[in-house]
Amino acid sequence: MNETDKKALSDFMTFLALERGFPKNTTDAYRIDIKRYFRYLDANKIKTLGSVKPNDITNFLFLLKEKFAPTSIARKLAALRTFYKFLNAEEYLKYDPTISIDTPKLWKKLPNVLTEAEVLVLLEQPNTTTDNGIRDRAVLELLYATGLRISELISLKLVDINSNEGYIKCKGKGSKERIVPVGKIALGWMEKYFVIRQKFVKEKSEILLQEEVLFLNRFGRKFSRVGMWKALKKHIKNTGIKKNITPHTLRHSFATHLLQHGADLRIVQELLGHSNISTTQIYTHVDRDRLKEVHRKFHPRA
């Protein structure tokens, strides 16, 4: 960074604080982001701001992708855009290389997805000779069979399960209700859970709630999200799978495996309860990513 660029940054910080009235923590964040940008320019032997091309900005953002979430990258790009607008207005530069740069809103981080073999390993972890194990196996089977969010699962009531017809009724985001089919294997484990569910009922004063809530914790109460995560965490750890697995991973795997086996994207959207199909399309990217990995692994000239 040459002296002119250093002065430009200093003037920009003054502009943010005095003319834009930004609080100190915001100006500090902008300074950190832009200094990171300057270090990138130095490392790539780009000696002046005037010699930066749009492709340099894009490469910088892709480098950030390895360390930061899309929302953080978008914020850093916003800082650069504000900086370049200032440079143009103050005639440090005559053009803005950020104009043609798309915001990283489409750079969604690909979700962790288990293979079908890994899902089977996870499903078989609970010790089903115990009541807790039967309940946890039923939970895992239902999560994978339906793609429910964990918040949707813990809110299920007994009346939401239709074993005869093979579906559940759940409320998703915005209290929107949807019907999701359930396979015979998951229903089988649900039936086993129904047999021992009464053992989780503890306090008579909560009998009405216990009669409604599908999955009960060891205190005979409705699971919290954290409580359900704790109940499943030990099973996830016991798989030995070196991936960041959460209950939501089964939702991702549910959608990905359906698409890999030829399911229509619109159907998967409906099953997941996505209001916009663009949210569902990330799973097609996961599938393409898997195809690329297979190609690299097996093609002799990949």
Side-chain angles (χ1 to χ4, degrees), residues 39-51:
R39 288 196 297 272
Y40 164 80
L41 297 181
D42 288 342
N44 287 271
K45 303 188 185 319
I46 302 171
K47 296 183 178 180
T48 67
L49 290 169
S51 59

Side-chain angles (χ1 to χ4, degrees), residues 227-270:
M228 181 59 80
W229 167 234
K230 286 181 178 178
L232 300 181
K233 196 172 183 179
K234 60 180 180 293
H235 305 309
I236 293 171
K237 183 179 179 180
N238 288 339
T239 64
I241 297 171
K242 303 301 181 184
K243 290 181 180 178
N244 181 28
I245 305 173
T246 70
H248 214 66
T249 305
L250 284 172
R251 177 172 166 87
H252 296 321
S253 303
F254 162 83
T256 303
H257 297 167
L258 281 174
L259 290 170
Q260 288 175 353
H261 286 280
D264 182 84
L265 189 64
R266 290 283 182 184
I267 298 298
V268 177
Q269 176 193 2
E270 187 73 20

Side-chain angles (χ1 to χ4, degrees), residues 274-302:
H274 288 161
S275 57
N276 194 318
I277 199 168
S278 65
T279 308
T280 318
Q281 284 174 332
I282 191 171
Y283 297 109
T284 64
H285 299 320
V286 172
D287 195 32
R288 284 200 294 269
D289 195 55
R290 184 186 69 86
L291 291 175
K292 288 178 182 176
E293 181 180 344
V294 171
H295 180 269
R296 285 195 299 267
K297 184 175 181 181
F298 295 107
H299 194 282
R301 300 179 70 83

Side-chain angles (χ1 to χ4, degrees), residues 4-5 248:
T4 301
D5 293 343
H248 214 66

Side-chain angles (χ1 to χ4, degrees), residues 75-93:
R75 189 177 64 245
K76 296 176 192 307
L77 176 57
L80 284 181
R81 282 180 168 150
T82 303
F83 181 47
Y84 274 104
K85 284 181 181 178
F86 168 81
L87 295 177
N88 279 220
E90 296 298 314
E91 298 185 348
Y92 279 101
L93 296 176

Side-chain angles (χ1 to χ4, degrees), residues 149-161:
R149 301 176 179 93
I150 200 72
S151 58
E152 295 168 344
L153 179 117
I154 63 176
S155 297
L156 287 176
K157 299 179 180 180
L158 290 170
V159 295
D160 294 328
I161 309 297

